Amino acid sequence: ATANVGAVLMPRTAASPARSRPTKSASPAKSASPSIVTRPMTKVLGRKDGSTQGMPSAKMATLKERSAEPVQKVTTEFEFGGPLGATAVMISLPLVIVGLYAGCGRNGCASGLASAAAMFKSMQIPQLWDWTAAAVVFGWTALHFALYVLLPGPRVEGVVLRDGSRLKYPINGHLALWVSLTACVHGLPQLGMSLSWLYDHYLQLAIASCALSTVISLYSYAVSFADGCMLAEGGNSRNPVYDFFIGRPLNPRLGLLDLKACCELRPGLIGWAVINLGMACKQFECTGAVTPSMLLVNAFQLVYVWDALYNEQSILTTMDITTDGFGFMLAFGDLAWVPFTYSLQARILVDHDPSLSMSALIGVALLNILGYCVFRGANSQKDAFRRDPAGEDVRHLQWMQTKRGSKLLVSGWWGMARKINYTGDWMMGLAWSLTCGASTPIAYFYPIYFAVLLMHRAWRDDHFCSIKYGADWAEYKQRVPFVFIPGIL
């Protein structure tokens, strides 16, 4: 469920896609001039839990080889266009959040470029900073830091790190979700407060979240210079702007608090669900009712958030946790981009509900249910295969052995299409936007942006896997020829 959270900002562009990573014998002198490339995503391959039990000899050899590598490496490749591209991203993404807010609100919605230009020209600049909103954002995040550490739950080990160690993570996000929702729904009214306040201060909350992301990113960058801090392989370029953006430390921690793992699923993701509830409360205050479209978008997205937290342990093998450093890219994506772009449909519905017919509502609901079944079915099958390819739930599946020692699924969900989980994820995103009808194209920002992102990811994966697996990858593509839609695309 977090497939679009870790890389949530934008596709990583490739200025030189034919260029592979340098070998271990590359000269350190070349590191001062990194090349601009992209990297592959995590694949549906073999075991990902860090265990060596039942691991083929080729994988064992790879693990031993990695354990002999230097723990800290100088980054020799840039992503996102290097320091200039990183700077552009850090400036532009907060502007996108503000632009989406300004493009549709209680005073109207842009229907095209001309109307958008007219709206921006005539609009009055609202108050951007509010200390109460800032206190809410910082306090909400501090609450989830505390819940991460204090709530009961199993503590599980992550993957084996480059130095051979394994960190432990508390799995209590599902409990944190229900504690948070209970406190907001039942606790705030006892204090004479309403969640509708979130609508009235939406922009100020978004600005405060951008500020919080920056503060946490600065802290993360600063602690990366402490002795013994393990650095991300992609975040040690020695360019401060780029390293601040991409993330220099791999697993920054404050005692038992793992900043990256906590921010990945807690404050922003749960905050998104709470913001949606606030939009429903505001609609009720304004109209005396909560419309079917508002109910559907709240239900759809709450299930999506619940799914991520119920399956929290699965993030420990994702690229966000195992590979990426924790910097502005992840902090902003988790704490600002997710809650204030994914709640876009609920905010639009407060003032611009399309009054969809019952047949339209049923169609939208069926699309979301179908997307969820594909998304959850594919991801559950993948996670089970990663944990134990011989497990009862997946031992009937067919797979092909690669020369590298990895296994590639060629049946089940992953025999239908190589990125079928993306298809289910996108179908859900489209259903969310369809609850807004044709009121404004702004409501469709998410599925349009996400479609471009997923196509870029698929192209990038294909390129790097062809380099990594060679002839095995060509054979795999023959056995699983479709990317997104079986028999079509």
Side-chain angles (χ1 to χ4, degrees):
T2 61
N4 58 330
V5 175
V8 72
L9 303 180
M10 60 184 291
R12 300 177 186 181
T13 56
S16 180
R19 191 181 181 98
S20 62
R21 287 186 180 272
T23 63
K24 298 181 184 67
S25 59
S27 171
K30 294 182 180 179
S31 63
S33 181
S35 57
I36 300 172
V37 300
T38 58
R39 66 170 174 245
M41 290 171 47
T42 304
K43 308 298 182 297
V44 188
L45 308 174
R47 293 183 68 90
K48 293 290 184 179
D49 60 357
S51 171
T52 59
Q53 183 177 1
M55 187 177 290
S57 57
K59 270 195 173 181
M60 286 289 291
T62 300
L63 185 59
K64 291 178 181 178
E65 181 180 299
R66 287 179 179 173
S67 66
E69 294 176 0
V71 174
Q72 312 290 17
K73 287 184 175 181
V74 176
T75 301
T76 57
E77 300 159 357
F78 279 149
E79 302 179 63
F80 291 96
L84 289 178
T87 301
V89 170
M90 289 189 285
I91 294 173
S92 63
L93 290 179
L95 295 178
V96 170
I97 292 177
V98 174
L100 291 173
Y101 172 84
C104 191
R106 58 166 59 98
N107 296 322
C109 287
S111 57
L113 293 177
S115 61
M119 287 182 62
F120 280 103
K121 186 176 180 180
S122 61
M123 71 176 294
Q124 295 182 345
I125 298 177
Q127 179 185 356
L128 297 178
W129 184 260
D130 180 86
W131 285 106
T132 301
V136 168
V137 168
F138 280 69
W140 172 260
T141 305
L143 168 65
H144 279 279
F145 287 174
L147 294 178
Y148 180 91
V149 174
L150 299 176
L151 285 180
R155 295 181 60 84
V156 303
E157 290 186 327
V159 300
V160 178
L161 301 177
R162 296 195 307 273
D163 61 357
S165 65
R166 299 178 72 173
L167 298 176
K168 289 188 176 182
Y169 298 86
I171 305 300
N172 54 22
H174 187 235
L175 179 57
L177 168 66
W178 295 115
V179 168
S180 303
L181 293 180
T182 301
C184 291
V185 172
H186 296 288
L188 291 180
Q190 302 300 320
L191 301 175
M193 303 170 66
S194 171
L195 283 174
S196 63
W197 182 88
L198 298 174
Y199 174 87
D200 299 326
H201 297 83
Y202 190 93
L203 179 60
Q204 293 78 20
L205 290 166
I207 297 299
S209 295
C210 294
L212 174 64
S213 303
T214 304
V215 170
I216 291 179
S217 302
L218 287 169
Y219 173 81
S220 181
Y221 181 75
V223 299
S224 70
F225 293 94
D227 291 339
C229 180
M230 182 176 291
L231 306 183
E233 291 187 354
N236 189 26
S237 71
R238 298 179 180 172
N239 181 290
V241 173
Y242 181 79
D243 291 346
F244 168 78
F245 168 75
I246 207 72
R248 193 168 187 268
L250 183 62
N251 305 106
R253 291 194 161 201
L254 278 170
L256 297 176
L257 172 65
D258 188 295
L259 283 174
K260 184 167 64 170
C262 181
C263 290
E264 181 84 5
L265 292 182
R266 309 299 184 91
L269 203 67
I270 299 176
W272 166 27
V274 172
I275 290 173
N276 281 352
L277 292 175
M279 302 304 106
C281 289
K282 186 65 178 181
Q283 187 185 64
F284 183 81
E285 287 184 4
C286 294
T287 66
V290 178
T291 64
S293 285
M294 180 67 83
L295 288 173
L296 282 183
V297 80
N298 266 266
F300 293 164
Q301 296 182 350
L302 179 59
V303 168
Y304 191 85
V305 172
W306 167 84
D307 181 276
L309 291 156
Y310 185 78
N311 296 283
E312 179 182 16
Q313 187 172 344
S314 65
I315 73 163
L316 301 183
T317 58
T318 63
M319 195 173 187
D320 289 0
I321 301 298
T322 64
T323 306
D324 288 335
F326 187 63
F328 184 87
M329 179 182 72
L330 285 182
F332 183 88
D334 295 338
L335 302 176
W337 186 263
V338 167
F340 294 100
T341 62
Y342 289 23
S343 61
L344 179 62
Q345 293 85 15
R347 186 176 63 81
I348 289 174
L349 288 171
V350 172
D351 303 296
H352 307 281
D353 190 279
S355 300
L356 295 178
S357 65
M358 182 57 66
S359 60
L361 292 169
I362 293 174
V364 171
L366 290 176
L367 176 63
N368 189 83
I369 292 170
L370 177 60
Y372 179 77
C373 289
V374 173
F375 172 80
R376 175 43 46 207
N379 281 323
S380 294
Q381 190 176 82
K382 174 189 64 178
D383 293 336
F385 188 74
R386 283 177 172 177
R387 288 193 301 270
D388 184 7
E392 183 176 352
D393 293 336
V394 293
R395 63 187 178 189
H396 65 284
L397 298 175
Q398 298 177 14
W399 46 268
M400 60 172 283
Q401 184 76 49
T402 68
K403 296 180 179 65
R404 294 177 59 91
S406 303
K407 296 181 176 70
L408 300 174
L409 280 172
V410 293
S411 68
W413 286 105
W414 300 94
M416 298 181 190
R418 301 195 296 272
K419 301 295 181 187
I420 197 165
N421 59 328
Y422 289 179
T423 303
D425 207 346
W426 186 83
M427 290 167 65
M428 287 188 287
L430 177 61
W432 304 343
S433 295
L434 286 171
T435 59
C436 298
S439 56
T440 173
I442 292 177
Y444 293 85
F445 167 79
Y446 176 79
I448 294 171
Y449 139 80
F450 199 40
V452 174
L453 174 65
L454 295 183
M455 287 187 288
H456 181 273
R457 284 183 185 176
W459 169 84
R460 182 187 63 186
D461 274 3
D462 181 72
H463 170 71
F464 278 95
C465 286
S466 64
I467 296 174
K468 182 176 181 180
Y469 296 105
D472 286 335
W473 187 249
E475 179 186 349
Y476 170 69
K477 289 173 65 176
Q478 288 182 344
R479 299 181 68 172
V480 187
F482 298 102
V483 180
F484 296 112
I485 304 175
I488 300 176
L489 180 62

